Structures are given as structure tokens and as C-alpha cells.
Amino acid sequence: MSDIAVELARVREAFDKPTLRLLDRKWAPFVLAVFKSSFSRDRRSVACELLHTQVDAYLADLRSTGVDAPEKTGRALCVQWMNDLWLYREIRDAGDGSEEHYSLTSHALEALLLVDGLASDRALISESRLGTIVDTVRHRATEANPDREERMRRLDQQIDELTSERDRLAAGGLVAAASNEQMHEGYANLIDLIQQLPSDFKRVEESVAAMHRQIVNDFRGEERPISEVLDDYLTKTDALMSSTAEGRAFEGAFTLLRNDTLMQGLKADLETILLHPFALELTLNERRSFMSTVTLLRKGIDDVLTQRTGLTTTLREHIVNHDVVKDRELELVLRGVNRELAVWMQTAGPRSTVTTELMSGTLEVEHLRERFYDPIAHLGPPALADVSDAAPTAPSLGDLRLQGGPLLEDLRDALVAAVAAGEAASVGSAFNSFDASLRRPVEILGLLQLAAQLSTSAGPVSLESFQTIRPDGSVRVFDVPRRILTDDDTAALAAQNLGSQHD
């Protein structure tokens, strides 16, 4: 194969990647403009429903001004962009539950970075960029050279240069400050490097997710014993980050970036750069974005670690809870169905049909025992404790009667005796002459009941006092309507006590 054919194959492979497919589409400017307006360094994910609404609003604004725009809805466009690997949808925990969010993939971030670079008018070749390249090459060459003497010579040279500069400054030498033009060049070089970080972190996340999917697919197709599968895939899970180029690169960067002293020094250096007069020409957003570099690094590391931890946990749970026996039984059933289908197709015509049951029929069982005999459930209750020694003294019959209702028979006898002896003319006066056992407050109700059974009294109604005595000896006075007892009333009361045989 000629060189041009090889290069053509490589270029075609590059154009098949989502990044160049995004830039090669008709609506590429619109898609990139939506991504640029909806996502930023501080806003790395957007709720799905919110992004659908925003895209609908963008479409309405463009159509109102006469600009050509896609005819689909915001939801349809977001789903299409997700299928094209430009958007990634994931479920995140919100305050009141889970919510779906969109975030940009590494391909979309690379496309935005490329467009931003082409849209800027800065020079790509500068003293700062060349100096960065030279310093990086010198540092890597020193680390790559195994010659001890050559490495010592390079270190001695650096020490001499730094010592000479320090002695010059200590002797009162002039401190040459960088010009605004030099600072602008260095700032542009740093911004170009910093802007590549989000896509780098996102590429590591996608690599972890792809590794996880590959492991799960391999696990489902395993036919080895479950013990070997568990050992093999748990080992792969522990070495997940060292199995890919992106993962190894991230591990190296993570070792460097988890140094708190280094990160604090980086933050201080960023503040020092912004104290130079050239920073007055930067906008507020540019200064804020430049100072958030440390936050960007920490956020990218946290996202990758969260993705790795979540996927590792999911993988372990899948491996532990996966039932290989059931999967093999289902696979055997499906293979049997395919074999029978092949046999049937040998004699069946083009329009032949066969009736099959999608679900198995139900069993007709009159009674299905839900619980089995348990001897413990049929044991008698434990014997009651004997607490008779702690029982209080039982009340007498008289005490119980004092706590009960009125004694009607005793009241009638006492009332008849009081009237016959001429001791009382009214119910109240007779009551006040009774013995203390018949002067309880409840006995008033008994007397009123007896009086209600007699003839109705004539004349004005007045009140009289009933002096009651409670079982505890306390006295209480009640005012009750006065009832005069006649001879007929006394005879009627006496007849009630004698019974019906003396009528």
C-alpha cells in the first residue's frame, strides 16, 4: 500500500471520530454555539429539562431574527447530540431525589477548544511557548539520561546559574520586571494549556466507563468457575486506572496534584501573575477564570475519582450478586428454542405461524401451605407469678354497698318511719334525720326517684337543704325542690315495701 493510501485511511479514521463529525455537520456552528452558551467551566452539567427549554428558547430567538435554524425541538436535538456522543446523560442526586443531567463529552470539549483557538487572533509562536518547550525538553532529557556524570553536570550547571543570579540580586543588582507584552504572551500560553484540562479529565472519565462496560460484558460471557471469575475481575477492578493510557497518565498527574504544598504554591503564583500591571487589561471573567485554575484541577480530579469509585462499586456488586447458574439455564433454554425453530423452518412455509405462550400457565392448587408446623407456636403460656401476698385487703360487703347506687328499700323504710313518727313533713327534713349510712349524696337521687312515683304535689315550689355525709365523713349540702309527704304518699311507700301480695 502506498503512503497516500495509508494517510487517507488515517484521515478517514480521524473524520469518523465524534470531534470532527461535529465540525463537519451543517448545523455545527449552531451546536457549538449552544454548547458554549449553556456550559462553562463553572457549569459543567445542566439538568435535562432545563437544557431542553434553553435550546427551544435559542431556536425561537434565531427564527425570530430570520436566522436559519434546525426544525427539531430542543428535546429531539439533545437526544440526537447524545447519540452522536457529544452529550453525556447521567443521573445525579438532588436535594429532593435523583435528577438527570447533561454534560459535554471529551469530543465536544475538544471541538470547542479547537474553535476557540481558530477564533482568537493571538500568535501561536511566542517566546513563552518556545521557552516552555525548551525547559520541558531539558527536564525530560535529564531524567531520560542514565549517565550519572552527565546528570550531575546538568545539575551543577543549573546550580551555578541560579547561584550567580542570586548573588547578583544580593549585591543590589537590578530586578528586571517582565514587560506587558511578555506577560501577555506567557498568559496566552498558560490559558491554552489550562483550557485543555477539562477535555483531558473528561477523556479519563470516559476511559474508565468504557473499561467498566468491557469488564461487565466479558464477565457475562464467562464460562469459567465463579471463583476464578471473581478473582480475575476483582484484580482487574483494582488495577482499573493502570490498564489504559489515560488512566496511567491520570495516576501520574494525581500523584503530583495531591501535593497540598504544590497546590498552595500554584495558587500563590497565580495571584502574583495577576498583580502585574498587564492584568489590568484583562476582563473580570478572564481574571476570575485564571484564578480558578486550582479549583478546576481539584474538580477534575474529584470527578474522575468519583466515577472510578462509583463504577468500581457497581462492578463489585454486580460480580457478587451475579447468578451464573440462572444465566446458563436461560441460555440453554434459548438454545433449545433456536434448535426447535430450525427444525420447524425445514418444513414450514413462508407464511406459517405457530401459537406459543409468552408466559407459562398458572397452577391450579386448592391450597398452598404458607407456614409449616412450628412446635414453639403451640406451647402454653408461662405460669403466672404468685403475688397473693402483695394483694390488698378485700373490701367488705358494706364498703362495696357504700360505693354503689342508692339503697331504695332502706330509703323507703326510713322515710315511712320518719313520717309515721311525726319527725318530718317533707322529704328533705326526713332525709336530714336519717342515719349517716343513708345520707350519701347519691341517696338524694333515690329519694327523687321515689317521689316521682307518688302523686304530683300542688302549690308553689320552694327549695330545701339536704345535708349529705360522704363515706369518708365529709359533709356536703345540696338544695333540692321541697316535696311535702301526705298520708296517701306514706301509704303508697309502705305498700311498695310490702310487695304485690298486700295490694
Side-chain angles (χ1 to χ4, degrees):
M1 183 179 293
S2 62
D3 294 340
I4 187 60
V6 175
E7 291 299 328
L8 180 59
R10 292 180 63 253
V11 171
R12 284 179 175 174
E13 182 180 356
F15 269 86
D16 288 337
K17 293 183 178 180
T19 301
L20 289 184
R21 280 195 286 108
L22 171 57
L23 299 175
D24 192 41
R25 295 294 178 88
K26 173 184 176 182
W27 302 111
F30 170 76
V31 177
L32 292 175
V34 170
F35 290 168
K36 191 71 174 178
S37 302
S38 302
F39 297 92
S40 63
R41 180 185 296 183
D42 299 328
R43 191 185 187 190
R44 306 182 64 177
S45 64
V46 181
C48 291
E49 294 300 329
L50 178 58
L51 185 59
H52 298 163
T53 305
Q54 289 180 350
V55 175
D56 287 332
Y58 296 152
L59 291 171
D61 290 344
L62 293 177
R63 291 166 184 165
S64 64
T65 57
V67 179
D68 193 14
E71 298 297 333
K72 296 183 179 180
T73 63
R75 179 185 297 274
L77 288 175
C78 290
V79 172
Q80 177 184 342
W81 298 339
M82 185 179 62
N83 295 332
D84 291 333
L85 302 181
W86 304 332
L87 284 180
Y88 175 73
R89 185 169 60 188
E90 59 183 344
I91 298 178
R92 295 191 176 184
D93 293 333
D96 53 353
S98 300
E99 188 178 11
E100 291 186 338
H101 281 69
Y102 284 122
S103 59
L104 295 179
T105 64
S106 61
H107 310 294
L109 292 173
E110 289 176 349
L112 288 174
L113 183 62
L114 180 59
V115 171
D116 289 341
L118 295 175
S120 62
D121 55 356
R122 62 182 176 83
L124 297 179
I125 300 299
S126 63
E127 180 184 356
S128 175
R129 174 156 296 197
L130 293 178
T132 301
I133 295 175
V134 172
D135 292 339
T136 303
V137 171
R138 181 186 297 115
H139 179 70
R140 292 305 174 192
T142 301
E143 292 182 344
N145 193 346
D147 188 356
R148 184 188 303 273
E149 298 297 332
E150 177 63 20
R151 180 169 296 191
M152 292 177 60
R153 186 191 67 78
R154 286 175 177 265
L155 292 176
D156 290 339
Q157 181 181 358
Q158 294 178 9
I159 293 174
D160 293 340
E161 292 176 355
L162 295 176
T163 303
S164 176
E165 177 64 16
R166 182 183 182 281
D167 293 342
R168 187 185 69 81
L169 294 176
L174 180 64
V175 179
S179 64
N180 286 359
E181 183 64 27
Q182 292 175 333
M183 291 300 297
H184 271 295
E185 291 180 359
Y187 170 79
N189 186 32
L190 288 176
I191 289 298
D192 184 64
L193 296 175
I194 293 172
Q195 287 178 347
Q196 299 178 21
L197 291 176
S199 61
D200 294 339
F201 283 122
K202 181 60 68 173
R203 193 179 297 109
V204 176
E205 292 184 43
E206 294 172 354
S207 176
V208 174
M211 183 66 182
H212 171 261
R213 290 191 296 268
Q214 181 63 37
I215 289 178
V216 172
N217 292 334
D218 293 344
F219 176 77
R220 290 173 178 172
E222 285 288 352
E223 296 182 355
R224 293 179 296 168
I226 185 65
S227 58
E228 296 182 9
V229 175
L230 289 175
D231 292 340
D232 188 12
Y233 283 96
L234 286 177
T235 302
K236 286 185 178 181
T237 302
D238 294 334
L240 189 63
M241 294 305 295
S242 60
S243 301
T244 60
E246 293 84 355
R248 290 190 295 269
F250 173 77
E251 287 289 352
F254 177 67
T255 303
L256 182 65
L257 295 177
R258 65 182 174 182
N259 188 341
D260 293 335
T261 303
L262 177 64
M263 300 304 290
Q264 292 296 331
L266 175 61
K267 184 177 181 180
D269 292 339
L270 294 174
E271 294 176 351
T272 303
I273 292 175
L274 291 181
L275 291 177
H276 193 275
F278 95 98
L280 298 176
E281 302 176 11
L282 302 178
T283 64
L284 179 61
N285 290 333
E286 290 176 340
R287 291 195 297 270
R288 184 184 295 113
S289 176
F290 187 70
M291 278 304 301
S292 63
T293 301
V294 176
T295 304
L296 174 65
L297 293 173
R298 295 188 184 277
K299 185 66 170 59
I301 293 175
D302 292 340
D303 290 343
V304 175
L305 294 180
T306 301
Q307 181 82 347
R308 183 177 65 175
T309 302
L311 294 180
T312 304
T313 303
T314 302
L315 180 60
R316 284 201 174 107
E317 292 178 353
H318 174 79
I319 294 175
V320 172
N321 299 324
H322 186 61
D323 194 341
V324 180
V325 176
K326 290 184 178 180
D327 284 355
R328 290 178 180 174
E329 292 177 352
L330 178 59
E331 184 179 2
L332 292 176
V333 173
L334 294 177
R335 287 180 179 177
V337 172
N338 288 334
R339 286 194 300 267
E340 296 297 330
L341 183 61
V343 174
W344 178 73
M345 288 296 295
Q346 294 177 1
T347 57
R351 299 182 180 276
S352 300
T353 59
V354 60
T355 303
T356 59
E357 293 184 2
L358 297 179
M359 299 296 294
S360 58
T362 58
L363 296 177
E364 296 182 359
V365 181
E366 295 182 358
H367 176 71
L368 182 62
R369 183 180 294 275
E370 297 179 357
R371 294 188 303 173
F372 295 95
Y373 174 75
D374 186 2
I376 298 178
H378 294 273
L379 295 178
L384 296 177
D386 186 5
V387 295
S388 58
D389 296 339
T393 304
S396 62
L397 179 59
D399 295 336
L400 293 176
R401 293 186 66 189
L402 290 178
Q403 300 299 327
L407 306 174
L408 296 180
E409 294 184 1
D410 295 343
L411 285 176
R412 278 195 295 265
D413 292 340
L415 188 58
V416 171
V419 175
E423 298 178 357
S426 65
V427 175
S429 59
F431 177 83
N432 293 330
S433 64
F434 290 168
D435 185 73
S437 60
L438 292 178
R439 292 173 60 186
R440 297 178 302 159
V442 72
E443 306 296 353
I444 298 177
L445 301 178
L447 290 177
L448 295 178
Q449 180 180 350
L450 294 176
Q453 299 174 359
L454 303 177
S455 60
T456 304
S457 62
V461 179
S462 59
L463 299 178
E464 60 179 341
S465 299
F466 284 64
Q467 298 179 359
T468 62
I469 302 176
R470 293 176 174 175
D472 59 358
S474 60
V475 179
R476 183 76 180 273
V477 179
F478 294 91
D479 292 335
V480 182
R482 184 180 181 84
R483 180 69 163 80
I484 302 299
L485 296 176
T486 62
D487 293 339
D488 295 337
D489 295 337
T490 304
L493 291 173
Q496 290 179 2
N497 278 347
L498 293 176
S500 60
Q501 66 273 22
H502 293 88
D503 291 346

